[in-house]
Amino acid sequence: GQMRTRMAQMRERLGAAGKVGGVDLTPIAAQHGLFSIIPFTPEQVQAMRERHGVYFAGSGRINVAGLTAANIDQFIAAVADVTG
C-alpha cells in the first residue's frame, strides 16, 4: 500500500545519502520493515534528542515510518551533525 511505498522511498533517500558524518546510511536502502538500526553511540543518541528533537531507542533503532519527504533532509543533516 501507500505506507509501504512511502517507507521504501524514505529508505532509498537515506541510502542515497551514503556516508553521512561518521555513519554509512547506504545499507538502509536494502532493508525492509518499520525499523532500521543506525550505529549511533549513546552520546550521539542523546545529541539527536537535545540538539535536534529527534527521539529513538538508545540502540539507534529508528522508526522509518516517522520519516517523511518534509523532514528527511533535516534528519540526514542532524545525523551528519552528531556523527561528524
Side-chain angles (χ1 to χ4, degrees):
Q2 193 175 358
M3 176 74 151
R4 186 173 302 223
T5 303
R6 188 175 66 75
M7 290 203 331
Q9 290 168 340
M10 294 303 101
R11 287 184 177 286
E12 274 176 38
R13 179 76 185 76
L14 288 171
K19 195 159 171 22
V20 174
V23 296
D24 185 5
L25 299 179
T26 309
I28 293 177
Q31 296 168 5
H32 302 280
L34 285 172
F35 299 99
S36 277
I37 302 281
I38 297 178
F40 288 114
T41 66
E43 293 75 23
Q44 289 167 341
V45 169
Q46 191 70 19
M48 287 290 279
R49 283 182 195 158
E50 290 174 359
R51 300 193 334 224
H52 299 283
V54 177
Y55 290 81
F56 45 80
S59 62
R61 186 180 81 151
I62 63 159
N63 183 347
V64 177
L67 295 171
T68 65
N71 68 18
I72 192 158
D73 290 332
Q74 191 178 352
F75 176 78
I76 291 169
V79 173
D81 177 54
V82 304
T83 65

